[in-house]
Amino acid sequence: MPLQMDERPTKIAILGGYGNTGAKIAAHLARLGGFEVAILGRDVSRARALAARIEATTGATVSGGRADAADPASLRNALFGADLVLSATSDTEHAVDVAHVALELGCDYADTHLSSPKKWAALRGLDGQIGERGLCFLSDGGAHPGLPAVMVRAVGADRALETAAVLGSFNIDWTGLNFGSNAPDDFVAELRDFNPSAWVDGRWRSSWRNRRTHDFGPPANGQDCIAMNLEEMHVLPGLFPTLREAGFFVGGFGGPIDAVVMPACLLALKLWPGQSGRIGRAFLGAMKRWAPKARWAILDLEATGHHGQHSTRVSLRVAHPDAYELTALAVVATLVQYRQGPRRPGLWTQAAFVDPAACLAFLEAHGVEVRVEAVEGPDAAARRRTPPHG
């Protein structure tokens, strides 16, 4: 995709740029053209080695340097001159430190971190300054969070939605992956802060009864999915006043992980909260040993409502064999819109920032399965296929 005349070249600094997601984002941005990419991390040799490989294969301007999210001085030095810093580390705890430095330097910000209440409370505390400085801050980037509300917005563009459930199943081959030193703490934080909220009968309700069973088909197959609170989903009732039920529901890891390891970790966190790092490392070790080795990333939207005068049921699937690749492509789709479009200052979720049709079109053009089926009619019995973004 060559750079168009109305697009702005943009320097993107990627913290965690040689990690599982960051490296894929860096490579995609370099191949697209129009982006100058800086790969940053605590290990400068790894950052420079990856930058050299990407630069050699793409011809783009790619550099490598040192930056530590926990060290504001190193961040200031590394981010000077960047148009946007993307925090793609495994360290949600220091995301707001990165945001503070970006604000100080007058640099836009994005992240791929968990949709955590602590992160959002801190970012909202900066909202006024972000707007005053005319900066654009994008949080909750990637596949989940990042895509569920995009999918709902896409199918709701010409429908009065009444129910919208996005069901997700993800699996990676844990045995071959390396994680940053803060990854165990992030896993534990996700377990500790898990909020099973869904929109039910006109209000958000947090309950472990907010569950759905869903057949994803091979290789994920049938799963019991629990509601998972995502910040991006909270705008949907305002966008679709007829919406009675909505939520994001995520499947488990299967087998001994769901039956034994997860409950054991949750109990251990209650008994020994000061041992979160050790508990997180034990959890990751169990995942490498017992989680399925197959790879998949599937998001299925099941929605109902009205299309004109007719009742409608619509399903939308977004899927890719590689969860990290899907995450990276979702971020890159957002950064393309960020670069091409007019300035939109403020604090956004990725899902609220992007144009949903353009986002899904980008994903499909880059190898992601995007498939829509709709059933319409007085009794929703007449089946027809719709375009992927309609």
Side-chain angles (χ1 to χ4, degrees), residues 8-14 34-38 40 78-86 101-103 105-110 134-138 335 338-339 343:
R8 305 181 302 273
T10 304
K11 182 174 181 180
I12 306 289
I14 306 176
F35 289 100
E36 181 182 342
V37 181
L40 304 175
L79 300 182
F80 184 80
D83 296 307
L84 179 142
V85 55
L86 171 64
V101 173
L103 190 62
L105 296 177
C107 172
D108 291 336
Y109 165 92
L135 297 176
C136 179
F137 275 39
L138 308 169
L335 293 177
Y338 159 84
R339 185 190 67 194
R343 289 286 299 172

Short mmCIF file of all heavy atoms in Angstrom, two decimals, residues 8-14 34-38 40 78-86 101-103 105-110 134-138 335 338-339 343:
data_model
loop_
_atom_site.label_atom_id
_atom_site.label_comp_id
_atom_site.label_asym_id
_atom_site.label_seq_id
_atom_site.Cartn_x
_atom_site.Cartn_y
_atom_site.Cartn_z
N ARG A 8 0.26 11.71 5.84
CA ARG A 8 1.38 12.32 6.52
C ARG A 8 2.38 11.25 6.94
O ARG A 8 2.00 10.30 7.63
CB ARG A 8 0.90 13.05 7.78
CG ARG A 8 -0.17 14.08 7.55
CD ARG A 8 -0.57 14.75 8.86
NE ARG A 8 -1.04 13.79 9.86
CZ ARG A 8 -2.31 13.39 9.95
NH1 ARG A 8 -3.20 13.85 9.11
NH2 ARG A 8 -2.68 12.54 10.87
N PRO A 9 3.66 11.37 6.55
CA PRO A 9 4.65 10.46 7.14
C PRO A 9 4.64 10.62 8.66
O PRO A 9 4.49 11.72 9.18
CB PRO A 9 5.96 10.94 6.53
CG PRO A 9 5.57 11.70 5.30
CD PRO A 9 4.24 12.32 5.61
N THR A 10 4.76 9.53 9.36
CA THR A 10 4.61 9.55 10.81
C THR A 10 5.70 8.71 11.46
O THR A 10 5.93 7.57 11.06
CB THR A 10 3.23 8.98 11.21
OG1 THR A 10 2.21 9.71 10.53
CG2 THR A 10 3.01 9.10 12.71
N LYS A 11 6.34 9.28 12.48
CA LYS A 11 7.35 8.53 13.23
C LYS A 11 6.69 7.87 14.42
O LYS A 11 6.16 8.55 15.31
CB LYS A 11 8.49 9.44 13.70
CG LYS A 11 9.58 8.67 14.44
CD LYS A 11 10.77 9.54 14.79
CE LYS A 11 11.84 8.71 15.51
NZ LYS A 11 13.04 9.52 15.86
N ILE A 12 6.71 6.54 14.43
CA ILE A 12 6.10 5.75 15.49
C ILE A 12 7.20 5.10 16.32
O ILE A 12 8.05 4.37 15.79
CB ILE A 12 5.20 4.64 14.92
CG1 ILE A 12 4.16 5.21 13.96
CG2 ILE A 12 4.54 3.85 16.05
CD1 ILE A 12 3.08 6.00 14.60
N ALA A 13 7.23 5.36 17.61
CA ALA A 13 8.16 4.71 18.54
C ALA A 13 7.42 3.60 19.26
O ALA A 13 6.39 3.86 19.90
CB ALA A 13 8.71 5.73 19.53
N ILE A 14 7.92 2.36 19.15
CA ILE A 14 7.22 1.21 19.72
C ILE A 14 7.99 0.68 20.92
O ILE A 14 9.08 0.11 20.79
CB ILE A 14 7.07 0.08 18.67
CG1 ILE A 14 6.40 0.60 17.40
CG2 ILE A 14 6.25 -1.07 19.26
CD1 ILE A 14 6.31 -0.43 16.29
N GLY A 34 5.50 5.05 4.50
CA GLY A 34 4.96 6.26 5.10
C GLY A 34 5.16 6.36 6.59
O GLY A 34 4.85 7.38 7.18
N PHE A 35 5.67 5.29 7.20
CA PHE A 35 5.96 5.30 8.63
C PHE A 35 7.47 5.19 8.84
O PHE A 35 8.15 4.40 8.18
CB PHE A 35 5.30 4.12 9.34
CG PHE A 35 3.81 4.22 9.46
CD1 PHE A 35 2.99 3.54 8.58
CD2 PHE A 35 3.23 4.99 10.45
CE1 PHE A 35 1.60 3.62 8.68
CE2 PHE A 35 1.84 5.08 10.56
CZ PHE A 35 1.03 4.39 9.67
N GLU A 36 7.98 5.99 9.75
CA GLU A 36 9.35 5.82 10.25
C GLU A 36 9.22 5.15 11.61
O GLU A 36 8.55 5.67 12.50
CB GLU A 36 10.04 7.17 10.37
CG GLU A 36 11.48 7.08 10.87
CD GLU A 36 12.12 8.43 11.03
OE1 GLU A 36 11.61 9.41 10.45
OE2 GLU A 36 13.13 8.52 11.77
N VAL A 37 9.85 3.99 11.78
CA VAL A 37 9.62 3.15 12.95
C VAL A 37 10.87 3.11 13.82
O VAL A 37 11.97 2.88 13.34
CB VAL A 37 9.24 1.72 12.53
CG1 VAL A 37 8.99 0.86 13.75
CG2 VAL A 37 8.00 1.73 11.62
N ALA A 38 10.65 3.33 15.12
CA ALA A 38 11.72 3.16 16.12
C ALA A 38 11.33 2.02 17.05
O ALA A 38 10.27 2.05 17.67
CB ALA A 38 11.92 4.45 16.91
N LEU A 40 11.96 0.07 20.37
CA LEU A 40 12.55 0.41 21.66
C LEU A 40 12.31 -0.69 22.68
O LEU A 40 11.27 -1.35 22.66
CB LEU A 40 11.95 1.71 22.19
CG LEU A 40 12.03 2.94 21.28
CD1 LEU A 40 11.29 4.11 21.91
CD2 LEU A 40 13.49 3.30 21.00
N ALA A 78 14.40 8.65 24.42
CA ALA A 78 14.05 7.78 23.29
C ALA A 78 12.88 8.33 22.48
O ALA A 78 12.81 8.09 21.27
CB ALA A 78 13.72 6.39 23.80
N LEU A 79 11.96 9.05 23.13
CA LEU A 79 10.74 9.48 22.45
C LEU A 79 10.84 10.87 21.85
O LEU A 79 9.91 11.30 21.15
CB LEU A 79 9.55 9.44 23.42
CG LEU A 79 9.23 8.09 24.04
CD1 LEU A 79 8.00 8.20 24.94
CD2 LEU A 79 9.01 7.04 22.96
N PHE A 80 11.92 11.55 22.09
CA PHE A 80 12.06 12.90 21.57
C PHE A 80 11.98 12.87 20.04
O PHE A 80 12.70 12.13 19.37
CB PHE A 80 13.39 13.52 22.01
CG PHE A 80 13.55 14.96 21.59
CD1 PHE A 80 12.94 15.97 22.32
CD2 PHE A 80 14.28 15.29 20.46
CE1 PHE A 80 13.07 17.29 21.93
CE2 PHE A 80 14.41 16.61 20.07
CZ PHE A 80 13.81 17.62 20.81
N GLY A 81 11.08 13.66 19.49
CA GLY A 81 10.93 13.72 18.04
C GLY A 81 9.91 12.75 17.47
O GLY A 81 9.59 12.82 16.28
N ALA A 82 9.37 11.84 18.29
CA ALA A 82 8.37 10.89 17.81
C ALA A 82 7.01 11.59 17.68
O ALA A 82 6.67 12.47 18.46
CB ALA A 82 8.26 9.70 18.74
N ASP A 83 6.24 11.16 16.68
CA ASP A 83 4.87 11.66 16.54
C ASP A 83 3.92 10.91 17.46
O ASP A 83 2.96 11.48 17.98
CB ASP A 83 4.40 11.51 15.09
CG ASP A 83 5.21 12.36 14.13
OD1 ASP A 83 5.32 13.57 14.38
OD2 ASP A 83 5.73 11.81 13.16
N LEU A 84 4.18 9.61 17.64
CA LEU A 84 3.32 8.77 18.49
C LEU A 84 4.16 7.69 19.14
O LEU A 84 5.01 7.08 18.48
CB LEU A 84 2.19 8.15 17.67
CG LEU A 84 1.21 7.23 18.43
CD1 LEU A 84 -0.22 7.42 17.92
CD2 LEU A 84 1.60 5.75 18.28
N VAL A 85 3.92 7.45 20.41
CA VAL A 85 4.54 6.32 21.09
C VAL A 85 3.48 5.24 21.29
O VAL A 85 2.37 5.52 21.75
CB VAL A 85 5.16 6.71 22.45
CG1 VAL A 85 4.16 7.40 23.36
CG2 VAL A 85 5.76 5.49 23.14
N LEU A 86 3.83 4.02 20.90
CA LEU A 86 2.95 2.87 21.08
C LEU A 86 3.54 1.99 22.17
O LEU A 86 4.63 1.45 22.02
CB LEU A 86 2.83 2.08 19.78
CG LEU A 86 2.12 0.73 19.87
CD1 LEU A 86 0.66 0.91 20.28
CD2 LEU A 86 2.22 -0.02 18.55
N VAL A 101 4.92 10.89 30.04
CA VAL A 101 6.06 11.38 29.27
C VAL A 101 5.60 11.85 27.89
O VAL A 101 6.07 12.88 27.39
CB VAL A 101 7.15 10.30 29.16
CG1 VAL A 101 8.26 10.74 28.21
CG2 VAL A 101 7.73 9.99 30.53
N ALA A 102 4.68 11.11 27.28
CA ALA A 102 4.15 11.54 25.98
C ALA A 102 3.49 12.90 26.09
O ALA A 102 3.68 13.78 25.24
CB ALA A 102 3.16 10.50 25.46
N LEU A 103 2.71 13.09 27.15
CA LEU A 103 2.05 14.38 27.38
C LEU A 103 3.08 15.49 27.55
O LEU A 103 2.93 16.59 26.99
CB LEU A 103 1.16 14.26 28.61
CG LEU A 103 0.19 15.39 28.92
CD1 LEU A 103 -0.83 15.56 27.80
CD2 LEU A 103 -0.52 15.11 30.24
N LEU A 105 6.09 15.62 26.35
CA LEU A 105 6.82 15.88 25.10
C LEU A 105 5.91 16.36 23.98
O LEU A 105 6.40 16.72 22.91
CB LEU A 105 7.55 14.61 24.65
CG LEU A 105 8.65 14.07 25.56
CD1 LEU A 105 9.21 12.77 25.01
CD2 LEU A 105 9.77 15.11 25.72
N GLY A 106 4.60 16.34 24.20
CA GLY A 106 3.68 16.71 23.13
C GLY A 106 3.59 15.65 22.05
O GLY A 106 3.45 15.96 20.86
N CYS A 107 3.63 14.40 22.49
CA CYS A 107 3.65 13.25 21.60
C CYS A 107 2.33 12.49 21.76
O CYS A 107 1.84 12.30 22.88
CB CYS A 107 4.84 12.37 21.97
SG CYS A 107 4.94 10.77 21.16
N ASP A 108 1.74 12.04 20.66
CA ASP A 108 0.54 11.21 20.76
C ASP A 108 0.89 9.86 21.36
O ASP A 108 2.06 9.46 21.40
CB ASP A 108 -0.10 11.02 19.38
CG ASP A 108 -0.71 12.31 18.83
OD1 ASP A 108 -1.04 13.20 19.64
OD2 ASP A 108 -0.83 12.42 17.60
N TYR A 109 -0.15 9.13 21.80
CA TYR A 109 0.06 7.90 22.58
C TYR A 109 -0.92 6.84 22.14
O TYR A 109 -2.07 7.12 21.80
CB TYR A 109 -0.13 8.23 24.07
CG TYR A 109 -0.30 7.03 24.98
CD1 TYR A 109 0.80 6.45 25.61
CD2 TYR A 109 -1.56 6.49 25.23
CE1 TYR A 109 0.64 5.37 26.47
CE2 TYR A 109 -1.72 5.40 26.07
CZ TYR A 109 -0.61 4.84 26.69
OH TYR A 109 -0.77 3.76 27.52
N ALA A 110 -0.47 5.58 22.17
CA ALA A 110 -1.37 4.44 21.97
C ALA A 110 -0.83 3.28 22.80
O ALA A 110 0.35 3.24 23.15
CB ALA A 110 -1.45 4.06 20.49
N GLY A 134 -4.07 19.33 22.43
CA GLY A 134 -4.41 18.89 21.09
C GLY A 134 -3.83 17.54 20.72
O GLY A 134 -3.59 17.25 19.55
N LEU A 135 -3.63 16.67 21.73
CA LEU A 135 -3.03 15.36 21.50
C LEU A 135 -4.09 14.29 21.32
O LEU A 135 -5.24 14.45 21.73
CB LEU A 135 -2.11 15.00 22.66
CG LEU A 135 -0.90 15.93 22.88
CD1 LEU A 135 -0.12 15.51 24.12
CD2 LEU A 135 0.01 15.93 21.65
N CYS A 136 -3.67 13.20 20.72
CA CYS A 136 -4.56 12.06 20.48
C CYS A 136 -4.01 10.85 21.25
O CYS A 136 -2.90 10.41 20.98
CB CYS A 136 -4.63 11.75 18.98
SG CYS A 136 -5.69 10.35 18.56
N PHE A 137 -4.79 10.36 22.21
CA PHE A 137 -4.39 9.21 23.01
C PHE A 137 -5.36 8.06 22.72
O PHE A 137 -6.57 8.20 22.88
CB PHE A 137 -4.41 9.54 24.50
CG PHE A 137 -3.15 10.19 25.01
CD1 PHE A 137 -2.46 11.12 24.26
CD2 PHE A 137 -2.65 9.87 26.27
CE1 PHE A 137 -1.30 11.73 24.72
CE2 PHE A 137 -1.49 10.47 26.76
CZ PHE A 137 -0.82 11.40 25.98
N LEU A 138 -4.81 6.92 22.30
CA LEU A 138 -5.60 5.73 21.94
C LEU A 138 -5.23 4.59 22.87
O LEU A 138 -4.07 4.18 22.91
CB LEU A 138 -5.31 5.32 20.49
CG LEU A 138 -5.44 6.40 19.42
CD1 LEU A 138 -4.87 5.92 18.10
CD2 LEU A 138 -6.89 6.79 19.27
N LEU A 335 -3.57 2.72 13.17
CA LEU A 335 -2.52 3.70 12.91
C LEU A 335 -2.60 4.24 11.49
O LEU A 335 -2.25 5.40 11.24
CB LEU A 335 -1.15 3.10 13.20
CG LEU A 335 -0.88 2.76 14.67
CD1 LEU A 335 0.47 2.09 14.83
CD2 LEU A 335 -0.97 4.02 15.53
N TYR A 338 -5.22 6.80 11.75
CA TYR A 338 -4.64 7.92 12.51
C TYR A 338 -3.79 8.80 11.61
O TYR A 338 -3.85 10.03 11.68
CB TYR A 338 -3.82 7.35 13.67
CG TYR A 338 -2.78 8.27 14.25
CD1 TYR A 338 -3.11 9.22 15.21
CD2 TYR A 338 -1.45 8.19 13.83
CE1 TYR A 338 -2.15 10.06 15.76
CE2 TYR A 338 -0.48 9.02 14.37
CZ TYR A 338 -0.83 9.96 15.32
OH TYR A 338 0.12 10.79 15.86
N ARG A 339 -3.00 8.17 10.74
CA ARG A 339 -2.11 8.93 9.86
C ARG A 339 -2.87 9.60 8.72
O ARG A 339 -2.58 10.74 8.35
CB ARG A 339 -1.03 8.01 9.27
CG ARG A 339 0.03 8.74 8.43
CD ARG A 339 0.91 7.75 7.69
NE ARG A 339 0.13 7.04 6.68
CZ ARG A 339 0.54 5.94 6.05
NH1 ARG A 339 1.70 5.41 6.39
NH2 ARG A 339 -0.19 5.38 5.13
N ARG A 343 -6.82 15.38 12.31
CA ARG A 343 -6.48 15.29 13.73
C ARG A 343 -7.75 15.13 14.55
O ARG A 343 -8.75 15.83 14.34
CB ARG A 343 -5.75 16.54 14.19
CG ARG A 343 -4.35 16.68 13.66
CD ARG A 343 -3.40 15.72 14.34
NE ARG A 343 -3.28 15.93 15.77
CZ ARG A 343 -2.63 15.10 16.59
NH1 ARG A 343 -2.06 14.01 16.12
NH2 ARG A 343 -2.56 15.36 17.88
#
